[in-house]
Amino acid sequence: MENKLTTEQSSIYNNLENMDTFELLSNINREDKTVPMILEKAIPSIKKLVDAIYDKMKDGGRLFYIGAGTSGRLGILDASECPPTYGVPHDLVIALIAGGDIALRKAVENAEDNYEMGWKDLQKFNINKNDVLIGIAASGTTPYVIGAVKEAKINGITTGCITCNKNSPLALEVDFPVELIVGPEFVTGSTRMKAGTAQKLALNMISTTVMIKLGRVRGNKMVDMQLSNKKLVTRAVQMIMNELHIDEQLAEKLLIEHKSVRNAIDTYNLNKS
């Protein structure tokens, strides 16, 4: 009997172990190429979620991700990249995974099946009606995530989700569902593949768009990025040189003095005016 969840349906490919390396890679790539088209169809629903996030965050709210397994890891990846990329505080975008940080590297048995634990984990961060919570679950059936968003909604918190099945229990619980129906995986049920790729692309779109709308990008540059290594310092110097039409030595001096691309550019322009 075929599973109604498309993420659990049998792959359209069979006898994978008999394929040679090129055939395996080509077929995986063939499936992967369908994912961006799914995201394009979902842009209207992603827009609604992004606008709701921006409305809260511009007034001081925070963004929370919650998930289990691959979905939880993708949320943590996105949240952890916001501070170095956009210079925002580490407690502005917060991600939780069923089983805690140990689950980033090793599966924690039955963690995702605990309906109450997601909300308990969120309460440690004093989540409130000023914030937004996005549940991430490929299947849309993860108890840890569903319990969390359901309690959040009861408490007046704006909720969204990213899932890869239509009309899933998770999507039915939230204010702004994003459904990315990528179809059966190349390896049956392996949602770290197309489903994971789709979720990552959606998270990229959501956090990047929100940060741009919050003023964390100027032109097309990451003017608030953290200068945490030589590559980023070199990039920052080049940004200042290009924006102000000055030489490298002066750009380096401004960056050392003002600690960020934004501050260096703004102070230089202010002193010139």
Side-chain angles (χ1 to χ4, degrees), residues 13-149:
Y13 304 85
N14 205 351
N15 301 315
L16 305 188
E17 68 275 22
N18 296 329
M19 295 181 185
D20 63 28
T21 302
F22 186 84
E23 192 176 5
L24 286 166
L25 295 173
S26 297
N27 287 332
I28 291 169
N29 178 246
R30 184 176 295 110
E31 290 300 302
D32 286 343
K33 286 190 288 188
T34 67
V35 175
M37 292 183 287
I38 304 300
L39 269 291
E40 184 178 3
K41 293 176 183 177
I43 286 175
S45 61
I46 297 172
K47 177 189 180 299
K48 291 176 183 177
L49 178 55
V50 165
D51 287 342
I53 296 167
Y54 171 69
D55 285 344
K56 293 291 186 178
M57 294 188 77
K58 69 180 174 59
D59 293 329
R62 299 167 295 172
L63 173 59
F64 285 82
Y65 299 134
I66 191 164
T70 298
S71 297
R73 295 181 189 101
L74 290 170
I76 289 174
L77 174 61
D78 194 75
S80 67
E81 289 180 340
C82 287
T85 306
Y86 300 110
V88 298
H90 286 272
D91 60 356
L92 188 67
V93 183
I94 299 168
L96 304 179
I97 184 171
D101 286 352
I102 191 173
L104 287 170
R105 294 183 179 274
K106 184 178 179 181
V108 177
E109 189 174 357
N110 298 323
E112 72 172 54
D113 297 325
N114 192 320
Y115 186 85
E116 291 81 20
M117 188 55 68
W119 178 243
K120 289 179 181 178
D121 287 346
L122 287 165
Q123 287 180 297
K124 297 173 187 175
F125 296 87
N126 297 312
I127 190 171
N128 59 74
K129 63 182 180 181
N130 298 315
D131 303 321
V132 178
L133 173 63
I134 298 178
I136 312 171
S139 68
T141 62
T142 308
Y144 176 83
V145 179
I146 296 171
V149 299

Side-chain angles (χ1 to χ4, degrees), residues 238-254:
Q238 192 65 50
M239 285 186 199
I240 296 168
M241 290 171 62
N242 293 342
E243 180 69 22
L244 300 178
H245 306 290
I246 59 176
D247 62 31
E248 183 176 357
Q249 185 176 3
L250 179 53
E252 288 179 347
K253 180 176 181 295
L254 288 169

Side-chain angles (χ1 to χ4, degrees), residues 6 89 221:
T6 58
K221 303 296 193 299

